[in-house]
Amino acid sequence: MRVSNSISVLFAILFLTIFWGCRSAEEVIKPEVQKEEPETEVNTLQAIFEDSEVFSGNFTGFMLYDPEEDSVLYAQNESRYFTPASNTKLFTFYTGLKMLPDSLPGIQYFVKGDSLIFRGTGDPSFLHPDFGNPAIFRFLKDSDKDLFYTDEHFDDEVLGPGWSWSDFNSYYSAEKSPFPVFGNVMRVTVEEIEKLQIASDSSGLKVSPTFFRSKIENTVSEKNLPLIERDFFDNQFRYSPRSDTTTYTTDKPFHYTPELITEMLSDTLGKPVTYIAASFPEDHKIMYSVRADSVYKRMLQPSDNFIAEQLLLVTASQMGEPLNSRTAIEYMKENHLSEMPDEPQWVDGSGLSRYNMFTPRSIIWLLKQIDKEFSYDPELFELLPAGGVSGTIRNWYAAPDSAEPYVFAKTGTLSNNHCLSGFVITNSGKKLLFSFMNNHYVTSSSIVKNEMDYVLRHIHATY
């Protein structure tokens, strides 16, 4: 009987051991099953970035933000600093929105006896081929006063900090000046040169403004010189004809001097303009030029560096300060950007400088502020480049099936750096803000853009 009871007890213990052991195993497995979740948009976007050989080979930052929900949908390296290139123009754009009137101040002037003394405000539109600005031209031409030009209020360098000075002959590196004329470039069209024949004169050139026609000389050299170039502090241009050139148009920056400006104005207005050093009275007058939004559009869509730089000078003028980019930047940082999550390392208006450094989350913050300035989205979207339609992204980020554009964003490109920041409209009608920043890649920028296009298409289709 004792043996039988002992066996019964042993069987009972064995049964309980197996029962609780199985239950323990079930409890260990069960939480793992509970961790499995259905695939979400965030998980998929994270997987895209983690699996991307392109992004893993770059230094890539990204942030996607839903302004309606005030929530970050996905972020990677969002607090790290990147070289923004022309994403910097978004800061200049916001500066204009906060600081400048609907029409840009064009010139400041006062009359003293039989003299009209005037100075520039940095306004880039005077005789610019994309604006014209005929009102100020007509005002100066029709004046019965003797014209005097002064630039005593210009307190800046003609090239920005951190710019590549070797680019001074390139169209995208036009100099800053207090009174821009013709966009501070000479436009040259080589109309025709017969093949295998070197022209002996410059008769095959069309030059605008014609004032510069006399400042171009032919150069025959065995060296592979640029078609047209000048020395850094000179405005004599050398033209090296190409035997295989048929038609070629190029913009070449000229070097600012007040004497050059008065020469150009005298030639263009058909009347003498004299340079003087003169202080301005506080009660001077202001003449306005073109609508500011037309200038913003020209800055943002083709990414015009010259206009961006000049807008900071116009801002300083509007503040009643000497024309200096730093003045406008410091004021904006102290008064309108102080709540930005990461202090912007901001030094110029265009993004030509590699000293500029911003984080993706700071650019998202900036986009939020820009968005607040517009009560109607199309007003903003008409100014920004549109994917597959306009500006610097007219050949990229097109909507599928020829639908309406869904990406409205500013590009930023320097060698080994490409950024894109702006707005993406999803299939569900959501407006999301994004900042894509890629630095230090050694591949073609097209490879990076293709990967970005894949991400934006996913966002458009999924969110």
Side-chain angles (χ1 to χ4, degrees), residues 149-409:
Y149 166 73
T150 184
D151 67 350
E152 42 71 41
H153 63 319
F154 183 52
D155 184 32
D156 209 341
E157 300 294 333
V158 293
L159 298 181
W163 290 13
S164 175
W165 282 34
S166 62
D167 290 341
F168 72 91
N169 266 307
S170 300
Y171 73 91
Y172 54 79
S173 194
E175 293 184 357
K176 297 186 283 184
S177 71
F179 189 64
V181 184
F182 295 102
N184 284 358
V185 296
M186 171 188 71
R187 178 163 294 177
V188 179
T189 300
V190 181
E191 294 182 320
E192 185 175 3
I193 301 175
E194 294 182 6
K195 289 189 176 183
L196 304 179
Q197 177 182 345
I198 301 298
S200 59
D201 58 36
S202 300
S203 59
L205 296 180
K206 180 180 178 181
V207 182
S208 177
T210 56
F211 166 82
F212 281 103
R213 190 67 188 76
S214 62
K215 295 183 178 294
I216 301 175
E217 61 181 33
N218 273 29
T219 299
V220 178
S221 173
E222 295 180 357
K223 296 180 180 179
N224 187 24
L225 296 175
L227 186 71
I228 298 175
E229 65 173 357
R230 64 171 175 85
D231 292 331
F232 191 84
F233 290 113
D234 196 2
N235 283 304
Q236 285 296 132
F237 291 84
R238 294 181 294 275
Y239 168 48
S240 302
R242 297 283 187 270
S243 61
D244 59 350
T245 299
T246 54
T247 301
Y248 187 95
T249 299
T250 182
D251 289 341
K252 289 294 179 181
F254 53 75
H255 174 57
Y256 172 77
T257 66
E259 293 78 14
L260 176 71
I261 297 304
T262 53
E263 283 185 62
M264 292 177 65
L265 289 174
S266 297
D267 180 77
T268 304
L269 295 172
K271 59 194 301 185
V273 179
T274 305
Y275 174 67
I276 60 170
S279 299
F280 261 53
E282 292 186 4
D283 61 346
H284 64 263
K285 297 181 179 180
I286 299 175
M287 187 171 187
Y288 292 85
S289 60
V290 298
R291 287 192 57 81
D293 54 6
S294 68
V295 181
Y296 301 148
K297 185 174 183 178
R298 174 68 194 177
M299 173 184 69
L300 294 170
Q301 291 203 5
S303 198
D304 193 306
N305 296 326
F306 160 72
I307 289 177
E309 296 301 333
Q310 293 299 140
L311 282 174
L312 290 185
L313 297 185
V314 179
T315 300
S317 173
Q318 184 72 9
M319 294 167 58
E321 299 290 341
L323 303 194
N324 187 292
S325 301
R326 174 55 58 185
T327 300
I329 289 172
E330 290 303 322
Y331 183 88
M332 286 296 296
K333 288 174 65 175
E334 292 175 9
N335 294 276
H336 297 295
L337 303 177
S338 59
E339 295 182 6
M340 188 168 279
D342 305 296
E343 182 180 359
Q345 306 302 302
W346 180 20
V347 302
D348 72 2
S350 63
L352 277 173
S353 177
R354 291 181 184 265
Y355 296 164
N356 293 308
M357 296 288 281
F358 308 139
T359 67
R361 69 182 179 186
S362 285
I363 291 186
I364 291 294
W365 183 92
L366 182 70
L367 289 170
K368 287 167 59 179
Q369 310 314 308
I370 291 173
D371 194 35
K372 290 176 184 177
E373 297 291 325
F374 293 86
S375 58
Y376 186 52
D377 284 341
E379 292 178 352
L380 172 58
F381 293 166
E382 286 172 6
L383 300 180
L384 289 167
V389 175
S390 63
T392 51
I393 57 174
R394 63 187 179 277
N395 297 320
W396 290 94
Y397 317 112
D401 302 322
S402 301
E404 291 294 313
Y406 71 95
V407 176
F408 302 89

